[in-house]
Amino acid sequence: MNVTIIGGGSWATALVKILSEKNNKIKWWLRDEQAIEHIKKHHHNPQYLSSVFLHPSKIKPYHNIKEALKNSDWVILAVPAAFIENVFKDLPLSIFENKKFVSGIKGLIPSSNQLVTEWLSNTLNISKNNIAAIAGPCHAEEIALEKQSYLTIASETIALAEEFASLLACRFVKTSFIADLQGVEYAAVMKNIVALASGITHGLGAGDNFQAVLVSNAILEIERFVDKIAPQKRCINSSAYLGDLLVTAYSQFSRNRSFGNMLGRGYSVKAAQIEMKMVAEGYSATKCIYEINRNFNVEMPILDFTYGILYQNASLLKSFENLKSRLV
Amino acid sequence: MNVTIIGGGSWATALVKILSEKNNKIKWWLRDEQAIEHIKKHHHNPQYLSSVFLHPSKIKPYHNIKEALKNSDWVILAVPAAFIENVFKDLPLSIFENKKFVSGIKGLIPSSNQLVTEWLSNTLNISKNNIAAIAGPCHAEEIALEKQSYLTIASETIALAEEFASLLACRFVKTSFIADLQGVEYAAVMKNIVALASGITHGLGAGDNFQAVLVSNAILEIERFVDKIAPQKRCINSSAYLGDLLVTAYSQFSRNRSFGNMLGRGYSVKAAQIEMKMVAEGYSATKCIYEINRNFNVEMPILDFTYGILYQNASLLKSFENLKSRLV
């Protein structure tokens, strides 16, 4: 298969590694030209997962997006949601015809609060029959180490999900597939809000007992939200939803958790952002989901807590007291 | 209220602390006479949660079980399940009349595979109207630090659960109550099996991605089992079930996880037990639940994995391969 992978970070590199385990021909689009030169010369990504060997006969890096997309059967997206519009802008829609798109992006398009797959359908005119998403708990760093991982492919077209699941499966990645595209995408976005809340409450002195209650309440909150916004039968405790929440909420390396922790210790949002030199994904996710929920009014104590602190300058201690009383 | 607490370990000490927050009169039975002398003199438990101040006007330690039980309204059990028969042996059944029993024990009676509350009912003749259990995620160490915690009281008699929930609630412990006595007890036992499996797979090199999948599969396995053995409507993602699993499976200090980790690294069961100088609760729990499940045939990949390694001398690598293929 001809596979194009869009993005140069850890997750993109991990997907390149996984997909090159089978005999796919991989065109890899990266924005960073220095990284491309380095990969061509040394067969390693200089900045991300740099231990991974990138087989030159299977993997070709590209800077030109048109070249990267030419003749590809599958296009895998792995850039931050905020950058995706820019990657594809000014391209004729005809270039996307007859290609299958898989979003590996866990985030909403900030300008429109759309899921990435909604944007693919609405803006690039991709048919729902050609859209899937990758879900499941997966630190890219563990893919570099070939640690056993599990990924779930979701699509409204189950045959497409099954097809990509079998393309993605390899020695250290087991795959499965489900028909719940919106559900897994929203859950993936919301887990970052939970990681923020986990960081904030940790910064405020909460311990492991509280964390366990927070995460139990969080999966119920996620279930309430996705059941309302995308009603269908789903098992929220599958690894695509609960597993993904766990790997993030219990990660010591989560940027969202670190960011939240700084807020809990009294840093202002601005100061925490400057200190971290980046914006944690949960920051914009909190605003997007809060705005979407204005139309749905789902009971969401963890979202309310995080939104208040990030966007309403709410008192940390009062917010924490309120959250404690709303959890069970 | 007159409250008797049975047991001298961390969890017993934590319950003494919580219950002395309200103006209860606490009779505290401990087996260790040196500890009793120390508590009388210094108002701290010498071995467990020794930072906790034990208010002498509220808390009286006892070595004589009959004295400790005299005039008490509530009897709280917090000794390991394997010792409970011994504590109450040779006492006339009349001594237990008109007392309410609350089990804080997370384990099965090994000699008979009974839940502690079943044993209370079958052996001590306590009426189901007077039996409750404490559930929920709670490291005793965090109670000593007054970290916000959540406990759930379960009883077949919901009024009793509600009554004890309100007796137990305090500044740093929020309580709730449910009618699912058997469900929370089995879930509490089974989480230790999951912690063992988590330790074994960690010892075999599995990372955080796998752990998230293991725990997601575990809560589904627990749900399948309790839904079969004690069918009733329950929300398995409540903190009483999922929260309790999380706090154990993600604890760095879990003895079950440490024990499992040694097995995963190649120690024999005997060697790991000698090295740890104690038996992890999950060890006997694995056998009990496996034997109970012979009559129910619930699909339990994690239990099978752990049982094979602990009791059938199964190959570590083959068992791990088999487990990996059975999880999703």
Side-chain angles (χ1 to χ4, degrees), chain B residues 220-235:
Chain B
L220 292 169
E221 181 165 323
I222 290 171
E223 186 175 37
R224 280 195 300 273
F225 184 81
V226 295
D227 280 359
K228 181 89 178 206
I229 201 164
Q232 72 168 70
K233 202 169 143 48
R234 58 173 64 87
C235 172

Side-chain angles (χ1 to χ4, degrees), chain A residues 237-256:
Chain A
N237 288 351
S238 308
S239 56
Y241 315 88
L242 177 60
D244 193 25
L245 172 64
L246 293 178
V247 87
T248 302
Y250 278 98
S251 167
Q252 300 306 310
F253 309 106
S254 158
R255 289 168 300 187
N256 291 297

Side-chain angles (χ1 to χ4, degrees), chain A residues 25 32 130 176 204 223 294 314 323:
Chain A
K25 284 177 69 178
D32 181 346
N130 283 330
S176 54
L204 283 162
E223 186 176 36
R294 283 208 174 111
L323 178 65

Side-chain angles (χ1 to χ4, degrees), chain B residues 265-284:
Chain B
R265 288 179 187 279
Y267 277 67
S268 71
V269 173
K270 262 271 163 303
Q273 284 173 343
I274 290 166
E275 186 83 9
M276 287 192 66
K277 293 182 191 142
M278 47 83 64
V279 177
E281 289 155 306
Y283 179 73
S284 68

Side-chain angles (χ1 to χ4, degrees), chain B residues 11-259:
Chain B
W11 184 222
T13 309
L15 289 170
V16 165
K17 176 176 167 69
I18 297 170
L19 284 158
S20 70
E21 285 285 314
K22 294 236 173 82
N23 281 323
N24 297 305
K25 286 178 66 179
I26 294 174
K27 292 179 159 189
W28 185 9
W29 180 85
L30 302 92
R31 191 177 47 171
D32 180 346
E33 294 190 71
Q34 280 189 316
I36 292 173
E37 286 316 304
H38 188 100
I39 292 166
K40 280 183 177 163
K41 218 160 149 183
H42 305 294
H43 317 305
H44 289 272
N45 187 344
Q47 278 194 283
Y48 299 98
L49 303 192
S50 50
S51 67
V52 170
F53 177 70
L54 302 161
H55 213 294
S57 71
K58 294 178 175 178
I59 301 159
K60 303 258 183 269
Y62 287 81
H63 186 65
N64 182 310
I65 186 78
K66 279 191 189 169
E67 284 297 316
L69 290 171
K70 196 182 276 178
N71 297 324
S72 70
D73 305 299
W74 293 90
V75 182
I76 322 299
L77 309 177
V79 290
F83 302 155
I84 190 74
E85 289 174 292
N86 201 42
V87 172
F88 287 123
K89 74 162 192 257
D90 304 332
L91 292 177
L93 293 188
S94 60
I95 210 170
F96 307 121
E97 280 168 14
N98 302 317
K99 295 190 193 311
K100 297 160 188 168
F101 280 75
V102 184
S103 168
I105 300 172
K106 298 184 172 180
L108 294 156
I109 311 283
S111 60
S112 58
N113 289 351
Q114 286 179 99
L115 293 172
V116 171
T117 63
E118 287 173 344
W119 177 84
L120 285 171
S121 159
N122 296 339
T123 308
L124 301 193
N125 261 346
I126 316 292
S127 147
K128 288 275 182 187
N129 292 332
N130 283 331
I131 296 179
I134 305 174
C138 204
H139 286 314
E141 292 72 14
E142 292 198 352
I143 294 298
L145 298 168
E146 302 190 351
K147 299 264 183 192
Q148 179 68 43
S149 302
Y150 292 71
L151 292 170
T152 302
I153 311 306
S155 174
E156 292 180 15
T157 308
I158 196 72
L160 184 81
E162 184 172 8
E163 192 184 348
F164 190 69
S166 98
L167 193 72
L168 197 66
C170 73
R171 186 166 42 85
F172 47 88
V173 178
K174 191 178 162 188
T175 59
S176 54
F177 52 93
I178 49 174
D180 183 22
L181 185 61
Q182 281 191 297
V184 300
E185 282 186 285
Y186 277 116
V189 170
M190 293 172 75
K191 67 159 196 278
N192 289 328
I193 303 171
V194 180
L196 269 175
S198 165
I200 298 171
T201 53
H202 179 76
L204 282 162
D208 292 350
N209 292 353
F210 185 81
Q211 163 80 356
V213 171
L214 180 74
V215 176
S216 307
N217 278 265
I219 193 67
L220 292 169
E221 181 165 323
I222 290 171
E223 186 175 37
R224 280 195 300 273
F225 184 81
V226 295
D227 280 359
K228 181 89 178 206
I229 201 164
Q232 72 168 70
K233 202 169 143 48
R234 58 173 64 87
C235 172
I236 203 75
N237 288 351
S238 308
S239 57
Y241 315 87
L242 177 59
D244 193 25
L245 172 64
L246 292 179
V247 88
T248 302
Y250 278 97
S251 167
Q252 300 305 311
F253 310 107
S254 159
R255 290 168 299 188
N256 291 297
R257 199 166 187 279
S258 306
F259 182 66

